[in-house]
Amino acid sequence: MPKKVTGVPKGASLSQHRQENVYLAIQAVHQAESLSIQLLCEVAGIPRSSYYKWLSHKPSPRQLENQELTEVMMSLYHKVEGIFGCRQLTLHLRRMLEKRINHKRIQRLMEIKGIQSVIRRKKKKYPRSTPQHVAENLLNREFQADAPNEKWVTDVTEFKYGHGQKAYLSAILDLHDNTIVSYVLGHSNNNPLVFKTLELALESVSECKPLIHSDRGFQYTSTYFKEKLDAANMKQSMSRVGRCIDNGPMESFWGTLKCEKYYLHNYRTFDQLKNDIDDYIHFYNYERLQRKLNGLSPMEYRTKAA
């Protein structure tokens, strides 16, 4: 029985791939129903000679390589529940296969298999608050840091579960390596949620006084939060009014977390939501490769810096 050729060589069109599917269908029906090749070719509208030419065709090394690459790609894609797009699949396949792989090749194979990253975006709503303390935008969209624990960004985002119940996630992200330094999931969007996140972050570092940037949410503009930062000798920075891009890296992480985990599931309980967030943040910190980190995960990049 001839080998099935599922890989498409570089430069081959999707129409050629569809033509190959016709040949495979003829082969399958012939074997299952014992119908004549002549009849099946007439129904499909192709010359019988073309079918037999395909039948005797031997796959090229490139086609065999594409077949292997496609199998590994699909296995990885299903493992991560479809959250990876072309760039992420390319990064992971390069590491898994220890080969230089062009992202355009992966994009072509994804088109052939009919897969794409699962993406869903939701706009964030910003509650109005009366600030007790406002800081200048010291970060000024300079989102690069030369060393760990030099610049932190922080924010709170909302999740829904059960029957309209809400949970709130507070997190701190290090701009040097995009590591989530600390996070707390709670039932209420309040001061203790944010203060606990800061305390956990400070416990994880020693002799570091990072700049911390946030929006103008009521927790961050409170006098008590300012007192905590002063006690830790930390400088505070805040986004300008209505300029969410001033805290872009944190907004980007929320979008990634929700697209790659939260929007893919329905959560009945707080514990189910918490377990998935715990799992995802560990995956994000230790396993999710990032192109701007030279193809390393945040913790790998952080460890190399240390």
Side-chain angles (χ1 to χ4, degrees), residues 13 49 54 92 127 145 214 222 230 266 295 301:
S13 67
S49 59
W54 169 83
H92 282 265
S214 68
S222 71
D230 289 343
N266 293 316
Y301 194 83

Side-chain angles (χ1 to χ4, degrees), residues 158-188:
E158 178 187 288
F159 297 88
K160 292 182 179 179
Y161 68 95
H163 300 288
Q165 295 162 285
K166 295 181 180 180
Y168 299 89
L169 178 62
S170 168
I172 293 176
L173 180 146
D174 192 320
L175 287 179
H176 174 258
D177 42 50
N178 291 343
T179 302
I180 299 301
V181 180
S182 66
Y183 67 96
V184 177
L185 183 70
H187 295 279
S188 301

Side-chain angles (χ1 to χ4, degrees), residues 230-249:
D230 289 343
N233 294 318
M234 294 174 63
K235 291 184 178 181
Q236 186 176 18
S237 172
M238 288 185 188
S239 300
R240 293 164 294 175
V241 176
R243 302 290 182 88
C244 60
I245 191 63
D246 287 347
N247 201 12

Side-chain angles (χ1 to χ4, degrees), residues 136-145 151 153 175 211 213-214 237-249:
E136 295 295 323
N137 182 18
L138 299 179
L139 184 62
N140 196 28
R141 300 188 189 178
E142 294 180 1
F143 298 138
Q144 294 77 34
K151 299 176 183 177
V153 292
L175 287 179
L211 169 74
H213 180 89
S214 68
S237 172
M238 288 185 188
S239 300
R240 293 164 294 175
V241 176
R243 302 290 182 88
C244 60
I245 191 63
D246 287 347
N247 201 12

Side-chain angles (χ1 to χ4, degrees), residues 85-197:
C86 173
R87 300 289 182 177
Q88 276 290 315
L89 285 172
T90 302
L91 284 174
H92 282 265
L93 289 170
R94 284 173 183 168
R95 172 175 290 192
M96 293 169 67
L97 300 176
E98 297 182 343
K99 293 180 181 179
R100 294 187 63 182
I101 303 171
N102 191 289
H103 72 275
K104 292 182 180 179
R105 185 180 185 185
I106 299 303
Q107 186 175 33
R108 188 165 58 250
L109 295 178
M110 290 177 68
E111 289 173 355
I112 291 169
K113 298 301 292 185
I115 63 172
Q116 61 181 355
S117 175
V118 181
I119 296 295
R120 223 175 121 194
R121 300 279 181 183
K122 283 195 174 181
K123 293 182 179 179
K124 181 175 178 179
K125 296 180 181 179
Y126 295 89
R128 294 182 179 180
S129 61
T130 303
Q132 297 174 335
H133 163 76
V134 175
E136 295 295 323
N137 182 18
L138 299 179
L139 184 62
N140 196 28
R141 300 188 189 178
E142 294 180 1
F143 298 138
Q144 294 77 34
D146 296 328
N149 305 317
E150 181 181 289
K151 299 176 183 177
W152 288 351
V153 292
T154 187
D155 195 15
V156 176
T157 193
E158 178 187 288
F159 297 88
K160 292 182 179 179
Y161 68 95
H163 300 288
Q165 295 162 285
K166 295 181 180 180
Y168 299 89
L169 178 62
S170 168
I172 293 176
L173 180 146
D174 192 320
L175 287 179
H176 174 258
D177 42 50
N178 291 343
T179 302
I180 299 301
V181 180
S182 66
Y183 67 96
V184 177
L185 183 70
H187 295 279
S188 301
N189 184 13
N190 53 22
N191 285 338
L193 181 78
V194 167
F195 299 164
K196 181 63 175 177
T197 310

Side-chain angles (χ1 to χ4, degrees), residues 13-28:
S13 67
L14 291 179
S15 62
Q16 288 174 312
H17 181 68
R18 286 192 287 269
Q19 185 73 8
E20 181 176 307
N21 286 338
V22 173
Y23 296 144
L24 290 171
I26 291 174
Q27 183 185 60

